[in-house]
Amino acid sequence: MIPLLTQPITLEGQSPIQGFWDGITIWKKLNAPYSLGSYVKVEDTLTLQPGVHFVADGGWLSIEPGGTLVAVGTAAEPIVFTGVTQTPGAWDGIYFAVHNRGQVHRLEYVHMSYGGGDSRELIANGLITNYSAGLYIAPSSFRHSSR
């Protein structure tokens, strides 16, 4: 899916999420987790609301040049990324590509687990690949990775 709208797109339930996303997008908290497909490549601003929950079966989330990830949860409603199985390496993780426009990505109260299936150079217990200078991580957890 390639949204090409000037207004922000708000997802309230689409599964599985995969492909290229080019447009300001907001993913809302649901009563069930989002299913992360084989890959998601973000080329604009992606905002995850507190309480958003992702379950991935392989694949990765890639923030491409020109893209920005704003994932700001709260202590009461963290943002969760996990594998469909509770096996280290069940999904790859989040990849931040080289950025040249000074984007700042924010991960606050994000809990990531059962990833690290990617072979690239990774940080955060094998769950994040960062080639971007603008990555801010506040109280978050990275557990049960394959690395």
Side-chain angles (χ1 to χ4, degrees):
M1 173 177 209
I2 305 176
L4 297 172
L5 305 175
T6 57
Q7 298 279 328
I9 299 161
T10 302
L11 287 187
E12 297 185 31
Q14 177 179 342
S15 191
I17 298 168
Q18 62 186 20
F20 287 88
W21 289 81
D22 183 11
I24 297 170
T25 306
I26 301 166
W27 291 352
K28 295 177 77 171
K29 176 185 173 185
L30 302 176
N31 291 330
Y34 287 93
S35 173
L36 189 61
S38 59
Y39 67 88
V40 173
K41 293 187 176 185
V42 176
E43 297 177 335
D44 206 319
T45 300
L46 171 59
T47 301
L48 308 180
Q49 292 186 335
V52 166
H53 188 127
F54 291 92
V55 175
D57 188 7
W60 66 92
L61 175 63
S62 179
I63 310 303
E64 298 293 306
T68 303
L69 177 61
V70 180
V72 179
T74 66
E77 291 191 292
I79 295 168
V80 175
F81 289 90
T82 192
V84 71
T85 61
Q86 294 188 347
T87 304
W91 68 292
D92 291 343
I94 300 177
Y95 171 78
F96 292 93
V98 175
H99 291 75
N100 56 14
R101 293 189 342 201
Q103 291 94 333
V104 176
H105 312 286
R106 299 181 66 84
L107 301 177
E108 297 182 36
Y109 293 99
V110 173
H111 300 304
M112 296 176 66
S113 60
Y114 299 105
D118 192 347
S119 62
R120 291 176 271 202
E121 183 179 325
L122 302 168
I123 63 171
N125 202 20
L127 291 161
I128 294 177
T129 302
N130 183 34
Y131 294 111
S132 172
L135 176 59
Y136 173 80
I137 301 175
S140 294
S141 66
F142 306 92
R143 294 186 236 171
H144 308 294
S145 170
S146 65
R147 301 191 190 254

